[in-house]
Amino acid sequence: MNLYERIPNNVNLSGDMKLQRALEKWLPNFLDWWREMGPDGFQEKDVWLRTAIDVGSEGWAHFDYVKMPDYRWGIFLEPAEPDAKVGFGDNYGRPAYQEVPGEFRNSLRRIIVTQGDTEPASVEQQRELGKTCPSLYDLRNLFQVNVEEGRHLWAMVYLLHGYFGRDGRDEAEALLERRSGNPDKPRILEAFNQPCDDWLNFFAFTMFTDRDGKYQLSALAESGFEPLARTCRFMLTEEAHHMFVGDTGLGRVVKRTAQLMKQGDVKELGGIPLDIVQKYINFWFSYSLDLFGGEISSNSADFFAAGLKGRYKEDQYEDHVIADDQFTMVTVEGEQLKERQVPLRNALNEVLRGEYVRDCEKGLARWNKILTEEGLLERLYLPSTLFHRHVGEYAGHDFDIASKLITKEEFERRKDEWLPTMDDREYVRSLMKPVTEPGKIANWIAPPAAGIKGLPFEFEYVKL
Ligand SMILES: [Fe+2]
Ligand SMILES: [Fe+2]
């Protein structure tokens, strides 16, 4: 593969002139979008970035200084498996789909567009953050995440152009036209319309919302539509770094807060109090739970039956058809929580959400370990999965963070205990002053345990 091709790829793009031309036509539009909506104020700076150049587990990435608009956004799919089969659903065991099956065309396009829409949305949400970076190391990580979300957009646009003809091309254009938080042309999913305008938001976003991405991509990596499965498998490789940024970023905030708690009043000392960290967790965790879709969902059943979207690590299960299985779901009936049996296929959003919650709990355990190591008894936790939901079974009802059904009035009265208030947000924003000297770090966060790829923290990750 040639890094200096116009569109680096491992899909033999030059062997498909029509597709190559279509993507080369989309490229300048993408670059216009990137310049308009990508990181504001840093487009001409040299950033120490990794660029995907291959999909092998070794040496898939190349590190160098790059100006972001010159980043080699490429198209990389994991190698095809010979004799790939549909791994679940009604067509279990049949040959995998190499083209879009006509009867699933609309569903598949919707899945790809919805995933694709999240990628540029997050870049838009984060475009102002560079101006308030806590260190050059963090600034570089932000930009790494941003350019890779751009590449993930490319990954989905490749599928739209390559497999959906005219309407795929229209959808690819529309992906560059919607804007995060714009009331007239918002992004598709609500978490991607929420502002992400301070670094505590950014770390919570990459911890919780990028982690939703991991689970969606994992379910799509099982897809019987081979090109989608192979694309998502490689995206997961990059996604791991995004979650690392969020997980360790919050961990470093917790560490610094713990240090300051032992010295005195955290706010007076210029740190972020633990209860504000907790509220940000509550906010982003609950919005990210919504991204999995309704608890009881005919779409999830249809996607599974069709072999389009599987479960997380489908291999861990014996039965890949689950035609008659039931799932016990907590539902709200007559202002009470009741358990109800629903067909498992209709509960697959909830099954995937359960995997996600267990993964998030591990993050909480890591942060609590930091508190223990600092000699503190305070603990962070995940709120109930029923709390503050806007999608699915629990939307339209009010719960406290311990799953208790409460009245709307009580929720309104108490929500400032659980969710960031205007004052909290303003306080956090007041701490966000850029620190751009190599080796220096803002007061509200601890430095990382190590730099990037064996380089020291003091390295000049971005040349300003
Ligand atoms: Fe992504
Ligand atoms: Fe990501």
Side-chain angles (χ1 to χ4, degrees), residues 8-279:
N9 69 90
N10 71 348
V11 294
N12 188 25
L13 199 53
S14 53
D16 185 342
M17 287 307 284
K18 200 167 155 230
L19 178 59
Q20 186 174 25
R21 264 202 301 276
L23 287 171
E24 282 178 355
K25 242 176 101 183
W26 188 80
L27 173 63
N29 298 344
F30 169 81
L31 284 173
D32 286 348
W33 167 81
W34 178 268
R35 287 192 181 275
E36 188 195 328
M37 295 311 297
D40 190 22
F42 296 89
Q43 300 279 354
E44 300 311 318
K45 306 295 180 195
D46 281 315
V47 187
W48 185 256
L49 291 174
R50 76 174 180 192
T51 303
I53 52 168
D54 194 6
V55 295
S57 55
E58 280 161 50
W60 65 272
H62 171 82
F63 284 77
D64 205 349
Y65 282 113
V66 182
K67 291 182 182 35
M68 285 183 276
D70 300 332
Y71 189 76
R72 311 309 291 172
W73 282 283
I75 298 163
F76 300 100
L77 274 60
E78 291 279 334
E81 279 171 34
D83 306 321
K85 302 270 193 291
V86 177
F88 55 88
D90 292 343
N91 295 323
Y92 175 61
R94 302 222 184 122
Y97 321 127
Q98 300 301 336
E99 294 294 331
V100 177
E103 67 269 43
F104 307 141
R105 187 185 165 82
N106 286 344
S107 302
L108 205 43
R109 193 182 57 215
R110 187 163 143 210
I111 289 172
I112 292 169
V113 167
T114 306
Q115 178 61 43
D117 194 65
T118 66
E119 315 288 358
S122 66
V123 175
E124 294 167 0
Q125 284 168 293
Q126 296 161 15
R127 76 182 294 259
E128 301 289 339
L129 281 174
K131 296 168 186 165
T132 55
C133 65
S135 73
L136 286 184
Y137 164 91
D138 290 290
L139 186 61
R140 176 265 171 208
N141 283 347
L142 166 69
F143 295 155
Q144 184 70 61
V145 170
N146 291 159
V147 292
E148 285 175 352
E149 301 305 5
R151 206 202 65 76
H152 292 175
L153 172 60
W154 271 92
M156 294 297 121
V157 163
Y158 160 73
L159 294 175
L160 289 170
H161 273 279
Y163 294 89
F164 290 87
R166 173 76 190 273
D167 44 335
R169 288 195 290 280
D170 291 345
E171 292 286 7
E173 287 304 321
L175 284 169
L176 297 176
E177 284 158 12
R178 287 184 287 273
R179 289 288 181 272
S180 175
N182 184 319
D184 298 326
K185 41 176 186 178
R187 291 294 174 182
I188 295 169
L189 299 167
E190 244 346 89
F192 292 88
N193 287 308
Q194 299 296 325
C196 187
D197 48 6
D198 67 59
W199 282 76
L200 190 59
N201 272 323
F202 173 63
F203 292 136
F205 182 94
T206 39
M207 170 71 193
F208 293 109
T209 308
D210 279 81
R211 194 172 305 274
D212 156 74
K214 168 183 165 182
Y215 283 85
Q216 301 305 330
L217 292 174
S218 298
L220 297 176
E222 302 287 341
S223 183
F225 178 48
E226 264 282 278
L228 176 62
R230 291 167 53 204
T231 305
C232 290
R233 277 178 221 145
F234 183 61
M235 290 163 76
L236 281 164
T237 314
E238 291 165 312
E239 206 59 60
H241 175 67
H242 309 179
M243 288 175 289
F244 164 86
V245 168
D247 190 344
T248 57
L250 279 173
R252 290 160 51 210
V253 172
V254 170
K255 184 171 180 180
R256 183 65 184 144
T257 297
Q259 290 168 350
L260 295 174
M261 284 166 79
K262 292 183 283 185
Q263 293 170 28
D265 183 275
V266 174
K267 270 194 172 178
E268 271 170 27
L269 294 166
I272 303 177
L274 217 48
D275 67 312
I276 294 187
V277 176
Q278 181 65 57
K279 290 185 201 180

